[in-house]
Amino acid sequence: MTKLESWIQHNTFHHSQFYDQLELLKQKEKTGLTISLCIPTLNEEATIGKEIVIFRSELMERYPLVDEIAVIDSGSTDKTLEVAASFGADTYFAGDILPSQGHKRGKGENLWKAIHQLKGDIIVYVDADIKNIHPRFCYGLVAPLLYREEIKYVKAFYDRPLAFSQGVRPSGGGRVTEILVRPLFSLFFPELTGLVQPLSGEYAVRREVLERLPFPIGYGVETSHILDVYRQWGLEAFGQTDLDQRVHRNQETLSLGKMSFGILQSFLGRLKNMGMEGNLPAMTNVLRQFIAKDQQYEQVCYDIVEEERPPMIDIPEYREKMGYDG
């Protein structure tokens, strides 16, 4: 059995393995670890309420596995924060956290600032657009960290039906993974191809790892995390959990193109940091796309720059808060 086959066999879980939440709670108490659930948002009023209700009722009140639930928002113009707060979540505008560091708009910014704001030894990130939300989206990811000390970063995977206005299409999703990220991993980091869905937005991570990771603020944050964790802690640090099915909204192909462009920037940046970039030429940050309009194609150019935040452990306010400097 190869190293990768062994990892797939021993570090791949199914959420049903952890259905007994009383046992999970006992394990949490045994470890003494605290758990924070973070939901990054931007205009998610349609789905955020149901997520908060289910997580709070099942994972804080019925089985107190989670110690805090927080929504970190990029600047929603709808009622995302009001809805989340009305159902009992702690709510924050990312720009109000670490104001000395300024505010950059992007999901990665929310995830990065959550490390400073939240208290847990483990932070679980769950996207806000899940239409079939269930407590397994949290406990299925936390459990491997509670039972296996050597595992540090647990990714979710699932079937990904797409939600359309006329109903749910039973297959599809994960297109950027299969068209871009999986081929890149296959070429440069074949051990990482054991991750079923490396771009999934749901994952649980130990603080000691999160605080040492640089954070792209845009599309490349998940890909960069995987490469950085792999480089620093190896394949054994990863776990992955099958959550069965995740129903979410569809994204247009042009949007996936912008996402792929940002991911590729981050990927090539990591290759450079690892001394693997070869003789690549200087690269542009402009993505040109064409949109059919009447009988013509209209050009649209996007300037996409994958800015990056430093590891949180390098931020003076965070070091002071955590007492790292004595």
Side-chain angles (χ1 to χ4, degrees):
M1 182 182 294
T2 67
K3 180 180 177 183
L4 177 55
E5 290 169 341
S6 176
W7 178 85
I8 291 173
Q9 181 173 327
H10 295 103
N11 286 38
T12 300
F13 308 92
H14 189 275
H15 70 83
S16 61
Q17 295 174 244
F18 313 115
Y19 76 96
D20 189 338
Q21 294 183 52
L22 280 177
E23 285 300 315
L24 198 55
L25 198 53
K26 290 178 184 174
Q27 183 63 22
K28 180 198 172 191
E29 291 169 353
K30 192 183 298 182
T31 65
L33 295 172
T34 55
I35 299 169
S36 297
L37 171 58
C38 172
I39 305 176
T41 57
L42 178 64
N43 294 328
E44 303 286 1
E45 66 177 8
T47 49
I48 190 64
K50 185 178 177 183
E51 288 203 11
I52 300 299
V53 167
I54 289 178
F55 284 138
R56 187 172 178 81
S57 62
E58 290 295 314
L59 300 179
M60 289 190 80
E61 296 170 357
R62 188 177 182 192
Y63 302 106
L65 182 68
V66 170
D67 298 282
E68 64 178 336
I69 298 176
V71 169
I72 311 286
D73 190 77
S74 295
S76 292
T77 54
D78 64 6
K79 296 182 179 178
T80 296
L81 289 180
E82 292 91 329
V83 172
S86 72
F87 289 111
D90 299 329
T91 58
Y92 305 95
F93 169 53
D96 292 335
I97 302 171
L98 283 174
S100 65
Q101 301 298 314
H103 175 54
K104 300 177 185 294
R105 190 159 171 159
K107 178 184 172 183
E109 177 83 352
N110 296 10
L111 306 181
W112 183 71
K113 288 195 169 176
I115 303 169
H116 179 79
Q117 187 63 43
L118 305 188
K119 306 178 185 70
D121 302 307
I122 294 171
I123 297 180
V124 189
Y125 296 111
V126 177
D127 278 351
D129 65 340
I130 303 173
K131 296 181 182 298
N132 63 325
I133 195 67
H134 183 277
R136 68 177 183 272
F137 281 84
C138 180
Y139 71 71
L141 301 175
V142 167
L145 298 176
L146 295 179
Y147 285 108
R148 296 267 301 274
E149 190 175 352
E150 75 277 16
I151 294 179
K152 301 179 184 303
Y153 194 111
V154 181
K155 294 288 286 189
F157 71 95
Y158 24 62
D159 290 331
R160 300 181 62 164
L162 303 176
F164 292 85
S165 57
Q166 65 270 34
V168 174
R169 196 171 73 185
S171 62
R175 289 165 286 174
V176 176
T177 291
E178 300 305 328
I179 292 171
L180 178 68
V181 175
R182 188 169 300 286
L184 286 173
F185 282 178
S186 298
L187 286 168
F188 294 94
F189 305 98
E191 285 189 343
L192 293 176
T193 58
L195 290 166
V196 179
Q197 284 172 348
L199 299 184
S200 67
E202 288 69 45
Y203 41 101
V205 195
R206 298 188 191 277
R207 175 177 292 274
E208 68 211 48
V209 170
L210 275 178
E211 68 186 10
R212 288 170 169 78
L213 296 177
F215 269 66
I217 63 169
Y219 300 112
V221 62
E222 281 86 12
T223 306
S224 298
H225 275 186
I226 289 171
L227 294 177
D228 290 337
V229 171
Y230 180 63
R231 185 184 184 193
Q232 293 189 54
W233 290 278
L235 182 65
E236 297 76 14
F238 290 104
Q240 60 182 351
T241 302
D242 184 351
L243 299 181
D244 277 346
Q245 191 178 80
R246 181 190 194 279
V247 181
H248 63 115
R249 62 173 176 260
N250 187 33
Q251 291 205 57
E252 296 179 352
T253 303
L254 291 178
S255 297
L256 298 182
K258 288 189 281 186
M259 182 187 300
S260 300
F261 191 70
I263 289 172
L264 197 49
Q265 283 187 34
S266 291
F267 184 88
L268 293 175
R270 288 300 183 275
L271 285 190
K272 186 176 181 180
N273 292 343
M274 297 177 190
M276 298 170 62
E277 81 277 21
N279 295 315
L280 291 175
M283 290 175 282
T284 175
N285 294 321
V286 177
L287 174 67
R288 185 186 309 275
Q289 293 182 329
F290 292 87
I291 301 172
K293 193 171 184 181
D294 299 325
Q295 298 301 313
Q296 295 183 323
Y297 281 97
E298 182 177 289
Q299 292 188 47
V300 182
C301 292
Y302 298 95
D303 188 20
I304 299 176
V305 180
E306 281 292 305
E307 291 186 80
E308 191 162 299
R309 290 294 199 175
M312 184 59 79
I313 201 168
D314 294 338
I315 303 299
E317 292 94 327
Y318 179 77
R319 296 189 65 83
E320 181 180 357
K321 179 178 180 179
M322 301 301 293
Y324 286 162
D325 296 324

